[in-house]
Amino acid sequence: MEIWINPACSKCRSAISLLDAEGADYTVRRYLEDVPTEDEIRAVLERLGLEPWDITRTQEAEAKELGMKEWARDAAQRDRWVRALAEHPRLIQRPIITADDDTAVVGRTEEAVRDALSR
């Protein structure tokens, strides 16, 4: 199990606390420092069953500067979204937990983190 975190994020800290409390075996990836590649983002999206715009923090200043709210959300623009996430990792929703069964969850709630633990 791997968890992508921003240590400054309270949701990330809560997820880590829950994983620790449950004795989970996991690896921390500080994704702002160890930035995921476009291929890694695509792989996580596949595991999540989501599209890149589903995990984009469109309220962030960088997203607003890029005008992402106006970007089309379709297959033709998918690579553009993935590229933006790789170039601006702060825009990636967090935390993302990759479970042992090759799925993943966005662990923003206790329920989502427990879901990842059960896989």
Side-chain angles (χ1 to χ4, degrees):
M1 183 180 302
E2 181 176 76
I3 182 169
W4 292 8
I5 69 158
N6 172 352
C9 168
S10 63
K11 300 279 187 192
C12 293
R13 291 192 305 272
S14 293
I16 293 285
S17 294
L18 182 54
L19 292 175
D20 288 344
E22 295 295 325
D25 182 23
Y26 65 93
T27 303
V28 170
R29 180 172 186 170
R30 294 180 177 212
Y31 71 92
L32 297 179
E33 299 163 16
D34 182 8
V35 178
T37 65
E38 289 181 32
D39 286 341
E40 288 175 311
I41 292 168
R42 282 187 192 91
V44 162
L45 287 166
E46 186 172 323
R47 292 174 79 167
L48 286 165
L50 296 174
E51 293 294 340
W53 44 86
D54 296 326
I55 65 162
T56 300
R57 299 170 55 87
T58 57
Q59 295 301 317
E60 292 287 331
E62 290 173 76
K64 289 178 181 178
E65 288 172 19
L66 293 169
M68 293 178 84
K69 277 195 170 186
E70 286 75 45
W71 291 8
R73 297 176 182 215
D74 58 28
Q77 293 297 310
R78 191 173 200 269
D79 285 343
R80 181 183 189 194
W81 283 85
V82 170
R83 189 169 36 265
L85 292 174
E87 292 173 359
H88 305 276
R90 187 170 308 281
L91 301 179
I92 299 172
Q93 190 60 262
R94 58 189 182 252
I96 293 177
I97 303 169
T98 55
D100 293 334
D101 69 350
D102 285 331
T103 62
V105 299
V106 178
R108 296 190 58 77
T109 65
E110 181 178 333
E111 181 181 78
V113 176
R114 289 194 184 281
D115 182 35
L117 284 167
S118 71
R119 296 178 184 201

